[in-house]
Amino acid sequence: MTAGWSAAADLVVVGSGVAGLTAALDAAAAGLRVVVVTKDAVDAGSTRWAQGGVAVVVGDVPGDSVEAHVTDTLEAGGGLCDPAAVTSIIADGPAAVARLRSRGARFDPGPDGRLARTREGGHSAFRVVHAGGDATGAEVERALVGAAGGLPLLTGHVAVDVLRDGHGAVAGLALLDDGGRPGVLRTPAVLLATGGYGQLYSSTTNPETATGDGIALALRAGATAADLEFVQFHPTVLYTGPAVGRRPLVTEAVRGEGAVLLDRAGRRFMTGVHPLADLAPRDVVAAAITRRLAETGTSCAYLDARALDGFARRFPTVYAACRAAGIDPVREPIPVTPAAHYSCGGIVTDAQSRTAVPGLYAAGEVARTGLHGANRLASNSLLEGLVMGARAARAVAADRAGGLQQGHLHATSLREGGLAATGAAAPAVPIAERGVVQRAMSGAAGIGRDGPGLAAASDAVEAATVLGVPIDRAGVEDAALTLLAQAVLAAAGTRTESRGCHVRTDFPARDDGWQRSSLEVGLDDRGRPVVRSERTVAA
Ligand code: SIN
């Protein structure tokens, strides 16, 4: 590989979802030269698939408050949230939503003309604003893409390596362009906003782009990640028989508005499991469905929405997916099953999106701010993307004003960073075949894990791993998935308890010894993920 091209920017944003575009717009408004890079089409990431909405307390719902939203978030997070991060991110929600609306996003009005609200699992109030019925993410993405029309945007460009100067600070980003040609964006600031890693699993709500690229880039640049074992499974995706790849989501708002879960015999099974029954936090519902499927030897549960009025109008996306599968949710219960949905952990950042690497920032699903802990509260993800995207832009602007400058991108650092811009070979990284990784993770690292299974999955990934140089998007993604599989398996094997989304059949109870302990993962000298430390989460 030789470097075919180069360009410069004050900030390179990797990813064009809610966090990335919010950051890019705000940074450009602050006078920074911003370039947005995305490996696919601008709207191909996870944001546009979000259904339920944005959880936010605007202040016009009697009985609801920011404090109640904070309490619900902490409760869902199973003791692992950072309360200061939770409080500040949720408090910034109303302003972030107002800014999004000023950029053109249209949320659904209720009958009284104020914003309509729905409810989802774990929420004590109707506080989730939505758009297009159940197409909130699509509207958020539409508005942000529209607002970002004038920004330099490189679609079809895949980030290969974060390049650093001799002091370890960010000096650029190595990429492959849409023709597979290597190049460099010289910049003192890179914001990773690449989403999660749902594609580690055979069945997921995530699009094909969700391959954990940002976490792999950050780990290789010397940052740490945490809480990676907390992979959230959405309780209800449409079940159409054994299937792989992205599965259609059936938003929790359907339960929020009255639908209930049934087993094959037509019995409700959430009553008695949790005081909120069918509206328990997502980890509780997904685990209960998994248990009931095992007890009854069945492949799916059923979501009975027949009592809801105006289903097709209120939930057009879900209705269309059901009808395409030959199911009429107005007349029959919807077959559902859990699937991988959200990465509660990610790159460790402070409350302003800064990682431990100077000049490297992360925001959105790729980051671990402490908002989600062991289990994210429904619809807190778009909220976090909006708030943390804006904070990332402010952090970059402040750091630049404070002296953050383009580091010296010399040949040694390029080789160390992994790009063959000088004509040297890029370093080889471990790469396993994607199908092997997905089968290993789906079999051993879903809801209900145990030590021997996790160890066997690690062995299977290891046996399928070879050293290789990624020369295209698929190679970059496979290398990221391989690294993420190793990291998630290492963290899940270390946490010998069940908490939130991390359910161990050999350690089925919560262990107070793990209370407030968050596992951090870094890379060792050979580039392999190791669980390095337990970071204590504030009480
Ligand atoms: C849903 O609509 O059920 C998903 C929303 C979310 O993941 O927060």
Side-chain angles (χ1 to χ4, degrees), residues 51-52 120 234 249 251-252 282 341 376 378-379 381:
Q51 291 187 355
E120 293 181 74
H234 196 287
L249 185 64
T251 173
E252 280 196 335
R282 198 169 277 176
H341 181 60
R376 175 177 65 85
S379 287
S381 48

Side-chain angles (χ1 to χ4, degrees), residues 49-148:
W49 298 101
Q51 291 187 355
V54 185
V56 65
V57 178
V58 178
D60 58 353
V61 174
D64 197 15
S65 64
V66 166
E67 291 73 29
H69 189 180
V70 168
T71 302
D72 293 346
T73 300
L74 294 173
E75 176 65 26
L80 275 192
C81 298
D82 176 341
V86 172
T87 305
S88 83
I89 291 170
I90 287 176
D92 277 4
V97 170
R99 186 110 168 95
L100 178 67
R101 294 178 78 190
S102 77
R103 287 183 165 139
R106 293 187 293 265
F107 288 90
D108 295 335
D112 60 2
R114 293 183 302 165
L115 291 177
R117 314 298 154 93
T118 191
R119 192 174 163 197
E120 293 181 74
H123 286 277
S124 59
F126 279 75
R127 66 166 71 98
V128 176
V129 299
H130 49 84
D134 58 3
T136 312
E139 174 60 10
V140 169
E141 187 71 13
R142 182 201 66 75
L144 289 172
V145 169

Side-chain angles (χ1 to χ4, degrees), residues 140-483:
V140 169
E141 187 71 13
R142 182 201 66 75
L144 289 172
V145 169
L151 294 183
L153 170 69
L154 301 176
T155 56
H157 284 58
V158 60
V160 177
D161 246 325
V162 174
L163 306 175
R164 288 167 296 142
D165 65 16
H167 305 289
V170 168
L173 184 73
L175 307 104
L176 296 171
D177 71 11
D178 45 7
R181 290 174 292 267
V184 173
L185 285 170
R186 294 170 188 269
T187 180
V190 170
L191 170 65
L192 299 171
T194 53
Y197 45 89
Q199 289 288 332
L200 265 186
Y201 293 84
S202 306
S203 170
T204 174
T205 62
N206 293 187
E208 285 178 359
T209 52
T211 50
D213 308 2
I215 297 178
L217 287 168
L219 287 173
R220 292 197 182 109
T224 54
D227 296 342
L228 296 180
E229 66 274 33
F230 298 110
V231 178
Q232 183 174 75
F233 282 69
H234 196 287
T236 56
V237 304
L238 183 62
Y239 179 76
T240 53
V244 295
R246 194 187 70 76
R247 311 303 309 143
L249 185 64
V250 179
T251 173
E252 280 196 335
V254 177
R255 274 178 286 130
E257 298 187 17
V260 294
L261 285 160
L262 306 175
D263 65 13
R264 185 174 57 175
R267 286 182 298 249
R268 290 188 66 177
F269 56 88
M270 286 308 300
T271 319
V273 171
H274 188 278
L276 292 173
D278 295 88
L279 273 181
R282 198 169 277 176
D283 56 335
V284 176
V285 181
I289 293 175
T290 304
R291 276 197 306 276
R292 181 53 63 114
L293 299 187
E295 284 159 11
T296 55
T298 47
S299 305
C300 66
Y302 295 89
L303 184 61
D304 188 354
R306 288 175 292 180
L308 273 61
D309 284 336
F311 189 97
R313 192 181 63 252
R314 174 64 186 87
F315 299 109
T317 311
V318 176
Y319 184 75
C322 288
R323 293 314 306 248
I327 297 149
D328 183 355
V330 176
R331 296 181 209 291
E332 59 190 316
I334 306 167
V336 290
T337 186
H341 181 60
Y342 194 84
S343 325
C344 298
I347 306 161
V348 175
T349 72
D350 67 10
Q352 307 306 322
S353 85
R354 293 183 182 92
T355 74
V357 176
L360 186 63
Y361 307 78
E365 186 175 357
V366 73
R368 184 270 184 204
T369 58
L371 175 64
H372 309 311
N375 172 56
R376 175 177 65 85
L377 184 67
S379 287
N380 269 356
S381 48
L382 289 177
L383 173 81
E384 186 184 43
L386 290 168
V387 171
M388 293 307 299
R391 287 189 189 178
R394 284 201 294 276
V396 174
D399 292 349
R400 193 167 169 77
L404 182 72
Q405 282 176 358
Q406 169 77 57
H408 180 51
L409 201 55
H410 51 75
T412 308
S413 74
L414 286 176
R415 279 195 296 275
E416 284 171 354
L419 178 78
T422 57
V429 290
I431 308 180
E433 200 239 304
R434 193 176 303 203
V436 173
V437 171
Q438 290 174 334
R439 281 192 293 279
M441 295 300 290
S442 304
I447 303 171
R449 314 157 163 187
D450 61 32
L454 292 165
S458 286
D459 291 345
V461 173
E462 176 73 35
T465 298
V466 295
L467 282 181
V469 178
I471 52 162
D472 56 15
R473 169 177 160 179
V476 171
E477 292 180 341
D478 287 346
L481 287 169
T482 304
L483 188 57

